[in-house]
């Protein structure tokens, strides 16, 4: 499936002093758009992506293939409710709205290679709940 041409992103403004928060926002947007190129520079070569109750993906190539076949619906909106970082960990939660108006709530928990500003993501643990919009 092709990447969506446009994606509406809602996210609270940040103070700008948290580089990892900006990185996690960029990764979440890239994930929603299935934009592997936008993600790959911030991922460790041996990245592990675990989707709770489903499958694990190991390494950049496996993750790239997963993004290409992840869904047959187009994400048209991304609502990021929280981005939290501390040391070598971080988390993002919110929900995606698809072109058929269904939604997918998510929480992604990230582990970085270190607590440093230039650390790469080494692991993503994703929790997903699919639901229909009630309005």
């Amino acid at each position: 499936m092709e990447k969506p041409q446009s994606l509406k992103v809602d996210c609270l403004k940040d103070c700008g002093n948290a580089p990892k928060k900006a990185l996690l926002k960029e990764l979440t947007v890239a994930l929603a758009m299935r934009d592997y190129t936008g993600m790959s520079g911030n991922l460790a070569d041996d990245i592990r992506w675990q989707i709770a109750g489903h499958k694990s993906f190991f390494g950049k190539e496996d993750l790239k293939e997963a993004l290409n076949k992840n869904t047959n619906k187009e994400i048209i909106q991304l609502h990021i409710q929280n981005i939290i970082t501390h040391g070598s960990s971080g988390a993002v939660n919110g929900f995606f709205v698809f072109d058929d108006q269904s939604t997918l709530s998510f929480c992604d928990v990230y582990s970085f290679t270190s607590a440093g500003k230039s650390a790469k993501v080494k692991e993503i643990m994703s929790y997903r709940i699919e639901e229909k919009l009630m309005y």
Side-chain angles (χ1 to χ4, degrees):
M1 171 166 225
E2 292 183 26
K3 289 185 247 178
Q5 295 301 314
S6 64
L7 174 69
K8 181 181 180 223
V9 179
D10 295 320
C11 184
L12 295 175
K13 297 261 186 232
D14 187 64
C15 66
N17 291 336
K20 283 188 180 168
K21 282 187 177 186
L23 168 66
L24 292 182
K25 180 182 177 185
E26 289 172 19
L27 286 174
T28 302
V29 170
L31 177 67
M33 295 185 71
R34 293 183 290 279
D35 177 14
Y36 174 76
T37 305
M39 300 177 72
S40 65
N42 295 306
L43 303 176
D45 290 337
D46 60 347
I47 179 78
R48 177 177 183 241
W49 182 24
Q50 168 82 39
I51 301 174
H54 294 283
K55 187 175 179 184
S56 290
F57 305 96
F58 298 96
K60 287 184 173 183
E61 282 304 310
D62 203 18
L63 187 136
K64 182 178 181 179
E65 287 178 29
L67 289 177
N68 287 332
K69 31 180 159 160
N70 192 21
T71 184
N72 57 1
K73 299 186 279 186
E74 182 179 317
I75 298 171
I76 59 172
Q77 293 180 22
L78 166 60
H79 297 271
I80 297 175
Q81 295 166 313
N82 294 289
I83 302 174
I84 301 165
T85 63
H86 183 73
S88 61
S89 299
V92 179
N93 79 299
F95 62 94
F96 303 114
V97 179
F98 295 94
D99 54 357
D100 67 356
Q101 297 304 303
S102 65
T103 62
L104 181 72
S105 296
F106 71 91
C107 180
D108 293 331
V109 180
Y110 292 84
S111 296
F112 293 92
T113 54
S114 73
K117 291 179 183 178
S118 61
K120 294 187 183 281
V121 174
K122 69 177 180 177
E123 187 171 281
I124 307 168
M125 181 66 192
S126 295
Y127 301 90
R128 305 282 191 255
I129 300 173
E130 194 167 356
E131 41 199 347
K132 291 282 187 186
L133 286 176
M134 298 300 201
Y135 50 90

